[in-house]
Amino acid sequence: MMKKNFLAVALATSITASLCACGGSKPTDTTVAAVGDSKTEETAATAAEVAGDYKIGIMTTTVSQSEESYRAAEMLEKQHPDKIVLATFPDKFATEQETTISTALSLASDPDIKAIIFSQAVQGTAAACQKIREVRPDILLIAAGYQDDAATTSANCDIFYHSNVPKMGFQMVDELSDMGAKTFIHYSFPRHLAWQPTADRLQNMKDRCAELGLTLVETTTPDPMSDAGVSGTQQFVLEDVPRSVDKYGVETAFFGTNTAQQEPMIKCVVDTKSYFTYPSDPSPFVGFPSALGIEVPDDKLYDTEYMMNAIKEKLASVDMTGHMGTWTAPLMTLFMTGSYEYAEAFCEGKTNGEKLDVDVFKTALGEAAGAEVDVENIVDSGTTYDNGFFIMCSYERF
């Protein structure tokens, strides 16, 4: 079982700073010298000054696009006010890539910034990283939750990673079949399905449904980036879930590829006593609190164990135990805290001297999650990317 209160652990771990130079240099020599050695005292004083001589930029989506991602970045900023510079992508990032590039270049213009984390790394991130490399090739660039194509992202970012979207297709159908679902409604739209991992996940869903005897139904919703906006997407889901349950029965399950779809979907699933796999970005913080009317105290905003228990209690009270689930590690928070752990290690010379140290990266993710995270290289269209990774966490049913 994965440790539930992982964010607190990750943030507490990330506060630790060793007296090392930035930019992937070797760790400061810690050999103990004789007391009163003036050279040793001078070295220690210099190291103390250098330890705080770097910043980490974070560029994340706004609250309207992914509240968990923004709140996780905000939490890190509060924990490390002298280390983090926070910026956001434009809300309509798909059509405002020049704004994305301009904002990213503004972060890179600060000479103290030695690493930039993009999470979620929405469309346009790879282009922004390309521009940064032209002026600051020294900066470590991490694209978490990348949305540009893998080849372009790999060429312009030092590390890029995502949830193991293709394998999630198998995980979801296996769980739904065990829950007792017979029909699986898949909500998406052309922009999302054009991204290869999403297309691969859908195909894996189809294959597993065929194996296990479930019927998969593809349904196109309005794109929240279109003129219909988020409200149009949500209204469609509010109307279609009960319509689908009327047509296929209560043994119908639902999944949507967009964050905006989650809250109305969960509400309707509870009302119709149907099934819900997990949010597109698996997490107890996505969709569940608002949909279930869970009021979270300020001191529990990032407490995963508290949220998981609150959801279980709420669903039990409406006879919905066993109808929903999620990952035990909140994905967007893991992207943020895991990336920060690695960026900090890089800036403090704890990596192998290169921008990519796979062992340190895996350790950083594990520390942020509170347990081992399944990490494998991304294989996209037959190409394996050494600097790209898919990650998976365990599933827990409410």
Side-chain angles (χ1 to χ4, degrees):
M1 176 62 66
M2 188 170 293
K3 185 176 179 181
K4 302 294 186 63
N5 212 7
F6 79 98
L7 177 59
V9 174
L11 291 177
T13 302
S14 66
I15 293 174
T16 304
S18 63
L19 304 181
C20 304
C22 303
S25 59
K26 295 181 180 179
T28 303
D29 189 355
T30 56
T31 303
V32 178
V35 176
D37 187 326
S38 61
K39 184 175 181 180
T40 301
E41 293 173 354
E42 180 181 350
T43 301
T46 302
E49 293 174 2
V50 173
D53 195 24
Y54 70 86
K55 295 178 184 177
I56 295 172
I58 293 179
M59 194 162 171
T60 186
T61 46
T62 60
V63 171
S64 64
Q65 292 297 322
S66 176
E67 181 172 0
E68 182 185 336
S69 183
Y70 181 84
R71 297 303 181 200
E74 188 178 56
M75 187 71 167
L76 284 173
E77 183 184 35
K78 290 178 180 178
Q79 292 289 328
H80 311 277
D82 298 326
K83 286 285 190 290
I84 289 178
V85 181
L86 182 59
T88 58
F89 290 98
D91 277 338
K92 294 189 176 181
F93 51 81
T95 57
E96 297 181 16
Q97 293 191 17
E98 289 302 319
T99 302
T100 294
I101 293 172
S102 175
T103 303
L105 284 173
S106 179
L107 283 176
S109 68
D110 184 341
D112 290 334
I113 287 184
K114 307 301 182 184
I116 299 178
I117 298 164
F118 298 89
S119 182
Q120 303 178 55
V122 299
Q123 293 156 320
T125 296
C129 290
Q130 181 181 31
K131 293 296 184 182
I132 289 173
R133 278 187 165 178
E134 292 174 1
V135 295
R136 289 288 308 279
D138 59 302
I139 291 180
L140 170 70
L141 302 173
I142 301 176
Y146 75 99
Q147 295 180 18
D148 290 309
D149 67 90
T152 304
T153 306
S154 176
N156 294 290
C157 301
D158 299 302
I159 299 173
F160 69 107
Y161 67 110
H162 208 292
S163 54
N164 198 326
V165 175
K167 280 191 175 180
M168 286 166 64
F170 295 130
Q171 185 184 49
M172 281 188 276
V173 177
D174 288 347
E175 292 293 337
L176 288 174
S177 177
D178 191 57
M179 288 178 189
K182 302 300 182 184
T183 303
F184 189 11
I185 308 295
H186 180 276
Y187 291 131
S188 193
F189 38 83
R191 179 171 62 86
H192 270 192
L193 293 174
W195 191 53
Q196 191 61 47
T198 301
D200 290 343
R201 178 177 59 196
L202 178 56
Q203 186 59 52
N204 289 344
M205 288 176 175
K206 292 177 180 178
D207 293 343
R208 189 69 102 212
C209 281
E211 290 176 20
L212 299 178
L214 279 72
T215 299
L216 189 141
V217 179
E218 295 181 62
T219 302
T220 301
T221 73
D223 186 336
M225 290 287 144
S226 69
D227 292 340
V230 170
S231 61
T233 302
Q234 293 179 330
Q235 186 60 38
F236 180 93
V237 172
L238 285 169
E239 296 173 359
D240 193 73
V241 170
R243 183 167 55 229
S244 295
V245 173
D246 286 343
K247 182 176 181 179
Y248 300 107
V250 294
E251 294 174 328
T252 301
F254 297 86
F255 172 75
T257 65
N258 180 257
T259 303
Q261 298 164 345
Q262 309 310 308
E263 181 182 336
M265 203 183 318
I266 294 169
K267 284 181 178 178
C268 290
V269 165
V270 171
D271 290 343
T272 58
K273 306 300 181 192
S274 51
Y275 294 86
F276 175 74
T277 53
Y278 48 56
S280 52
D281 299 323
S283 169
F285 297 110
V286 176
F288 290 105
S290 297
L292 300 178
I294 298 173
E295 295 185 7
V296 186
D298 290 343
D299 63 335
K300 301 294 184 181
L301 286 176
Y302 296 94
D303 189 328
T304 308
E305 184 174 8
Y306 174 88
M307 182 57 66
M308 296 288 280
N309 289 334
I311 294 170
K312 288 179 181 179
E313 292 174 5
K314 188 70 173 183
L315 291 177
S317 71
V318 292
D319 196 27
M320 283 291 288
T321 297
H323 283 240
M324 300 181 179
T326 192
W327 280 7
T328 48
L331 180 63
M332 290 294 106
T333 307
L334 179 56
F335 279 163
M336 195 66 68
T337 56
S339 296
Y340 181 83
E341 288 285 336
Y342 184 81
E344 184 181 67
F346 168 78
C347 287
E348 297 183 356
K350 297 176 182 177
T351 58
N352 58 8
E354 303 293 334
K355 289 183 177 179
L356 172 59
D357 185 324
V358 177
D359 290 337
V360 174
F361 177 69
K362 290 180 178 179
T363 298
L365 288 177
E367 288 180 353
E372 185 176 351
V373 177
D374 180 39
V375 182
E376 62 182 59
N377 283 108
I378 291 172
V379 179
D380 193 333
S381 302
T383 300
T384 300
Y385 294 95
D386 292 337
N387 65 330
F389 305 91
F390 277 142
I391 68 172
M392 280 281 283
C393 297
S394 59
Y395 184 91
E396 184 166 334
R397 199 175 301 177
F398 293 126

